[in-house]
Amino acid sequence: MRQMRMTDELRSLGRSGVAEAEAADDLATLDAVRVAYLGKKGSLTAVLRGLGSLPSEERPEVGRVANEVRAELESAIDARRAELAAKALEERVAAEAVDVTLPGRRRPAGHVHLIDQVVREIVDIFVGLGYRVASGPEVELDWYNFTALNTPPDHPARSLQDTFYVKDLSGDRAAVAGESDVVLRTHTSPVQVRVMESAKPPIYIVAPGRCYRRDIPDPSHTPQFNQIEGLVVDEGITFGDLKGTLEHFVREMFGADRRTRIRPHFFGFTEPSAEVDVSCGICGGHGCRFCKGTGWLEILGCGMVDPNVFGYAGVDAERYTGFAFGMGAERIAALRHDIPDLRVFLESDVRFLRQF
Ligand code: PHE
């Protein structure tokens, strides 16, 4: 009777344990079930502990059933654990899945800014004629930017209105008229002097670079812009060489159908000096709004190197002659692509830049 009760109790305990294990929704709950039945203070453990107080003839049968129930419960728990682990793995795989068949996300590839494209094109034309590329600092000494270019201290270009002065940290006292003698270069022409100081003729160079002037931005002025300087120093260089070189450049840059014209002009560092115009590409030279009715568009300044500049730069003016020119990259880009406002080059609006 007692034996009956014990084994029934064990079996019913086993059934409820198996049911609870099968119903466990996660590993923590399942472990709690294991502890509740099979742990040190578990209900099945308590029954097994009570075996000792049974009469000896009942013990084997009750012990057999108890072991059977424990084995069943353990295997139910193990099976459920495996199920839950498989489910967890499945969920993780689903959550972390990468669909390798999806097309890749394309990052928009940038490209060279229109101004740099134009600078490279211009430089390439002169490299094709055998010129080398030179460069100089954007933060320049007053000496190279003005004085050595035959532009004396009282020249208006040196005024605070026209030039950005930089605080002179060199500690030297050679400031001009009490001002700093360090400037943001106003043109690339100081590279002429630096090259002549450091190289012996024959010199054939182009020098692209950024320049700065205190201009209020408007359609045809920006306080920062790019120039390409050219310098040739050799024996027997004439104004004819300058003219032929620039005509070749214009044809390469703007096309064979464009005409050029050279007008007298003044620059302190060239003598004689000139400006070069190219015939308007929009009206073909008849006159329109783009060329302000003249049929011509100014593209550069040039001239024969002034012997005074040779003197400052240490070149023998008796033996050598030379020419120089300087052009604005923004201006040339604008003329090339009929862009009416130079400010767009500095605005980084990709809707504009993407077109080139
Ligand atoms: N540096 C001049 C300017 O910025 C251009 C120039 C260069 C003129 C070389 C003559 C010779 O306007």
Side-chain angles (χ1 to χ4, degrees):
M1 201 49 211
R2 183 124 146 240
Q3 191 183 333
M4 266 316 266
R5 268 207 349 261
M6 271 300 267
T7 52
D8 281 352
E9 198 186 321
L10 279 167
R11 289 224 156 81
S12 112
L13 207 57
R15 274 193 301 278
S16 69
V18 168
E20 279 181 51
E22 280 170 354
D25 252 350
D26 53 65
L27 290 169
T29 311
L30 185 63
D31 202 49
V33 173
R34 185 186 60 77
V35 170
Y37 286 86
L38 302 171
K40 265 191 204 145
K41 294 175 185 162
S43 39
L44 199 58
T45 315
V47 175
L48 288 168
R49 244 183 227 138
L51 274 181
S53 59
L54 286 180
S56 56
E57 69 276 14
E58 291 179 14
R59 265 184 237 159
E61 177 59 5
V62 176
R64 191 184 57 78
V65 172
N67 281 330
E68 210 178 281
V69 167
R70 182 171 60 189
E72 268 169 30
L73 188 51
E74 275 172 352
S75 83
I77 289 173
D78 286 348
R80 185 60 184 154
R81 183 178 291 121
E83 260 172 43
L84 288 176
K87 200 177 113 205
L89 181 66
E90 220 168 86
E91 281 169 3
R92 223 183 98 197
V93 165
E96 293 174 8
V98 174
D99 183 350
V100 292
T101 66
L102 276 178
R105 269 178 226 138
R106 224 174 255 281
R107 286 187 181 279
H111 65 72
V112 175
H113 191 284
L114 173 60
I115 294 304
D116 283 326
Q117 290 179 37
V118 165
V119 168
R120 289 181 192 183
E121 241 181 282
I122 294 169
V123 166
D124 278 352
I125 292 170
F126 288 99
V127 166
L129 292 174
Y131 287 52
R132 287 172 182 271
V133 179
S135 66
E138 290 174 33
V139 181
E140 185 53 286
L141 290 172
D142 169 283
W143 167 265
Y144 289 104
N145 196 78
F146 297 123
T147 312
L149 287 169
N150 208 30
T151 307
D154 57 356
H155 194 280
R158 304 176 84 128
S159 87
L160 289 174
Q161 256 76 50
D162 292 331
T163 298
F164 291 109
Y165 284 81
V166 175
K167 198 167 178 189
D168 180 357
L169 299 174
S170 68
D172 79 74
R173 309 257 120 215
V176 174
E179 302 287 351
S180 161
D181 59 358
V182 183
V183 301
L184 295 186
R185 67 178 175 192
T186 60
H187 51 178
T188 43
S189 299
V191 183
Q192 289 184 37
V193 182
R194 289 182 174 274
V195 168
M196 285 189 275
E197 274 181 351
S198 63
K200 293 260 153 292
I203 292 169
Y204 291 80
I205 59 104
V206 278
R210 270 188 286 273
C211 305
Y212 305 86
R213 288 183 199 173
R214 282 190 71 148
D215 281 325
I216 305 295
D218 70 23
S220 53
H221 296 85
T222 55
Q224 180 201 307
F225 54 99
N226 287 267
Q227 280 193 337
I228 296 98
E229 193 78 10
L231 174 69
V232 167
V233 182
D234 204 345
E235 287 179 17
I237 296 293
T238 68
F239 200 89
D241 296 316
L242 170 58
K243 207 169 165 235
T245 302
L246 293 178
E247 277 170 1
H248 169 77
F249 163 72
V250 170
R251 270 196 308 276
E252 290 284 300
M253 196 66 200
F254 294 95
D257 54 327
R258 305 290 277 272
R259 282 162 295 128
T260 50
R261 104 182 155 175
I262 289 201
R263 284 179 289 106
H265 196 74
F266 173 81
F267 296 103
F269 37 96
T270 45
E271 181 61 35
S273 302
E275 276 186 340
V276 172
D277 298 337
V278 58
S279 59
C280 179
I282 295 194
C283 61
H286 298 296
C288 65
R289 267 176 53 190
F290 197 61
C291 60
K292 300 200 179 80
T294 64
W296 295 97
L297 300 159
E298 181 222 316
I299 57 160
L300 59 83
C302 62
M304 301 306 289
V305 179
D306 193 302
N308 286 343
V309 175
F310 280 150
Y312 283 117
V315 171
D316 181 355
E318 295 297 322
R319 182 165 170 203
Y320 297 106
T321 52
F323 64 76
F325 55 85
M327 59 186 97
E330 283 78 2
R331 241 195 119 71
I332 290 185
L335 299 183
R336 243 307 196 55
H337 299 286
D338 307 329
I339 296 162
D341 193 329
L342 301 186
R343 289 173 293 189
V344 292
F345 295 130
L346 291 174
E347 281 166 359
S348 299
D349 184 337
V350 287
R351 289 169 303 176
F352 168 73
L353 295 174
R354 232 186 251 134
Q355 300 172 56
F356 306 99

